[in-house]
Amino acid sequence: MRKSKLSEYKMIQHLERCKGCGFCISQCPSDALYLSESVNSKGYPVAKIDEGKCTKCAICYTVCPDYVFERVKGA
Amino acid sequence: MVEKRIPQLLVEDNKFCPGCGHGNINRVVAEVLEEMGLADTTVGSLAVGCACLMMDTFGVDWIQAPHGRAAAVGVGVKRVRPECCVFTYQGDGDSLAIGLSETLYAAIRNENITAIIVNNGIFGMTGGQMAPTTLSGQRTTTSPKGRDVSITGQPLNIVNQCRQLPIGYLARGSVASAKDINKLKKYIRAAFETQMSGGGYSLVEVLSPCPTNWKMSLEKSLEHIENDVKPIYPLGEFIKKGEKTDA
Ligand SMILES: Cc1ncc(C[n+]2csc(CCOP(=O)(O)OP(=O)(O)O)c2C)c(N)n1
Ligand code: SF4
Ligand code: SF4
Ligand code: SF4
Ligand SMILES: [Mg+2]
């Protein structure tokens, strides 16, 4: 089977679940996450990805206590 | 590279506070149960504390035990339904204060269940009172000047209590970093594997932040775990397949 490439994946975010705790921001090895100005319906400022810096390592998936991130197939 | 999908067992958003370690632990347990094919045959035993918020959001079958007695109730379920995967999920106040007897006797009898104990050093749900695990000198709402161990005795180390017992698996993990969470997943998997192979009692204690009642930012909470909690409650696997490790 052909090994799948980085470009075949994307990170998605369920921002309605974010509670703005900042754990993902402190653990991202590429400095690709930042606490944005936007606030979700729960009233929390949400963490967003700077796509240009993101390496799709999914460390944010690992640390987020609120199931915000997923790494899925598809460009 | 593989996909990283949120486990389907997490049927609703969790109800924990921002930065609460219970959320990380919930996801790790859900991942392991799904990867082991146990999602439909697992019964969890809950008693009190913020753990109980899982009943609405974590899609296994649950049974509600009285405060502290999750192990006794879980053992009952396991004895009548030995084909099921049975685990307790409790805070440190619940499992180690009022429930210490039930927790310890399940281990002493080497009951074939898995215990997950969330050590956040306090009673979280009720507002941050002192727990058996509270560190010496730690301020809580019931030890406002700091825990005085000359009055309360030393913090309770459940791993040390269980180390001499003839149990299947014993470990302590943490959710304080990505590295810790990846290790924790290995420990939780090993614990459930122990149970499903009939290997006896398995216990994983998890160091976990409660930013709300510690009255700290998540950043400060993680520093507190690293600098103050880990030296008192070291991480590692202490019993594997019934054999003591060198840890
Ligand atoms: C019989 C009884 N006594 C007291 C309580 C109050 N109570 C609710 S949760 C709790 C302890 C929670 O602490 P812990 O188990 O550490 O869970 P955490 O919320 O910290 O995760 C207590 C004493 C209760 N629910 N039932
Ligand atoms: S996938 Fe990795 S690089 Fe991208 S935002 Fe998440 S942690 Fe940062
Ligand atoms: S770790 Fe999750 S909840 Fe916390 S800020 Fe990042 S995305 Fe939001
Ligand atoms: S009170 Fe503490 S343990 Fe309970 S949900 Fe909030 S942060 Fe988590
Ligand atoms: Mg607690």
Side-chain angles (χ1 to χ4, degrees), chain B residues 156-165 170 172 205 232 234 238:
Chain B
L156 182 72
N157 184 322
I158 189 62
V159 163
N160 287 355
Q161 297 297 324
C162 289
R163 244 174 146 158
Q164 309 305 323
L165 299 175
L170 179 65
R172 184 186 288 118
E205 180 183 4
I232 306 297
F238 302 92

Side-chain angles (χ1 to χ4, degrees), chain B residues 25-45:
Chain B
I25 304 166
N26 277 210
R27 201 201 64 245
V28 168
V29 173
E31 284 176 0
V32 170
L33 292 177
E34 285 187 3
E35 288 166 15
M36 290 179 67
L38 297 170
D40 297 330
T41 50
T42 295
V43 181
S45 179

Side-chain angles (χ1 to χ4, degrees), chain A residues 11 24 27-33 48-50 53-61 69 71:
Chain A
M11 297 302 298
C24 58
Q27 294 280 307
C28 172
S30 309
D31 207 15
L33 283 158
K48 285 194 177 165
I49 299 178
D50 179 340
K53 289 183 180 170
C54 176
T55 60
K56 303 174 200 172
C57 69
I59 282 176
C60 48
Y61 167 92
F69 300 93
R71 182 171 68 197

